[in-house]
Amino acid sequence: MKQCSPSDGPPHPTRVLIVDDDPSMQRMISDYLTGNGIEVACAGGRAEMQQTLSSGRFDLVLLDLRLGSDDGLDLLRELRSRSDLPVIIATGHRRDEIDRVVGLELGADDYLTKPYSLREMLARIRVVLRRVDSGSKPSSPAERTMSYFGSWTLDRRNRRLSRDGGTLISLTKGEYGLLIAFLDAPQRPLSREYLLQATRIHEDIYDRSIDVQILRLRRKLEEDASNPRMLVTERGVGYVFTVPVKTV
């Protein structure tokens, strides 16, 4: 494990793992975060990332998608296959839009486009951590909601989707966020702009990323995804969830 900075903060400081193969970028980010009370460790690729994550607790990973011999998207897949650890991805250029979209589809919590300001990076880290913290607080009994629609059941507390009480259906973070947006506003047309905000996909992401999410959700919910009856396109507006929803 390569420590980029000392750990002389509070007893349990926020800990961020930087995965970047550029030593100068590691140092710059590390110095800035350390100066703002965040403990930092660095990894240059897959092997170091795995070793570092296994050696201690981390609150967030800042993952560069351009890692030389390693594919950052593959590393993101590995992280998501075994952990819900928050991940912010960094891409090299505005034209790398497809990487940002795919990264968000794979479960990244946010993204940065190089060159980015260190202040923006810190702000995004704090926003993601606040979001995760608010979502991890114990729910009161009144908040332990179950949503029923058609033959489907969604346990919101545990994020479990099942059909007829049978096999659980896995959902990515993006799919789950999109489904919640529909379940909270059933039988009402929702615009792409609304869905982008509801799923926290940023406005400068090409809005067809919502269409990709819709297609994936249809494949999981619809009898025939090519002829959807539940998630219906509302021409000129967006989409409408046609099935009545009961949440208790």
Side-chain angles (χ1 to χ4, degrees), residues 145-218:
T145 55
M146 302 288 289
S147 290
Y148 303 93
F149 54 99
S151 59
W152 294 91
T153 300
L154 178 67
D155 179 347
R156 295 191 182 207
R157 181 173 177 242
N158 296 306
R159 296 193 175 192
R160 291 181 177 177
L161 176 68
S162 61
R163 186 171 190 177
D164 295 321
T167 305
L168 296 178
I169 307 298
S170 64
L171 295 172
T172 66
K173 285 188 175 181
E175 292 164 357
Y176 176 80
L178 191 59
L179 180 57
I180 288 294
F182 282 121
L183 296 184
D184 286 343
Q187 300 174 300
R188 287 169 45 195
L190 301 178
S191 68
R192 286 189 177 86
E193 290 74 18
Y194 175 88
L195 294 171
L196 283 165
Q197 293 175 5
T199 55
R200 297 187 174 93
I201 299 175
H202 297 280
E203 293 178 0
D204 56 342
I205 286 286
Y206 183 43
D207 70 356
R208 293 298 176 183
S209 61
I210 284 294
D211 296 336
V212 175
Q213 296 270 22
I214 293 286
L215 178 59
R216 293 179 61 175
L217 202 52
R218 279 173 172 166

Side-chain angles (χ1 to χ4, degrees), residues 72-213:
L73 290 174
D74 284 344
L75 269 62
L76 178 58
R77 287 188 186 93
E78 290 181 18
L79 280 169
R80 278 292 161 262
S81 69
R82 62 175 185 264
S83 171
D84 287 328
L85 186 66
V87 178
I88 297 177
I89 56 175
T91 60
H93 303 283
R94 289 281 175 187
R95 65 175 179 270
D96 291 338
E97 178 182 81
I98 186 62
D99 282 351
R100 299 197 298 276
V101 172
V102 172
L104 291 168
E105 292 285 339
L106 290 174
D109 296 86
D110 204 343
Y111 76 92
L112 290 160
T113 303
K114 292 181 177 180
Y116 54 80
S117 74
L118 295 175
R119 289 181 63 186
E120 178 188 9
M121 174 197 66
L122 179 61
R124 289 186 181 273
I125 288 173
R126 286 173 171 167
V127 167
V128 168
L129 291 177
R130 281 199 302 269
R131 184 188 308 162
V132 171
D133 182 61
S134 64
S136 64
K137 293 177 181 177
S139 301
S140 66
E143 295 172 326
R144 296 174 186 175
T145 55
M146 302 288 289
S147 290
Y148 303 93
F149 54 99
S151 59
W152 294 91
T153 300
L154 178 67
D155 179 347
R156 295 191 182 207
R157 181 173 177 242
N158 296 306
R159 296 193 175 192
R160 291 181 177 177
L161 176 68
S162 61
R163 186 171 190 177
D164 295 321
T167 305
L168 296 178
I169 307 298
S170 64
L171 295 172
T172 66
K173 285 188 175 181
E175 292 164 357
Y176 176 80
L178 191 59
L179 180 57
I180 288 294
F182 282 121
L183 296 184
D184 286 343
Q187 300 174 300
R188 287 169 45 195
L190 301 178
S191 68
R192 286 189 177 86
E193 290 74 18
Y194 175 88
L195 294 171
L196 283 165
Q197 293 175 5
T199 55
R200 297 187 174 93
I201 299 175
H202 297 280
E203 293 178 0
D204 56 342
I205 286 286
Y206 183 43
D207 70 356
R208 293 298 176 183
S209 61
I210 284 294
D211 296 336
V212 175
Q213 296 270 22

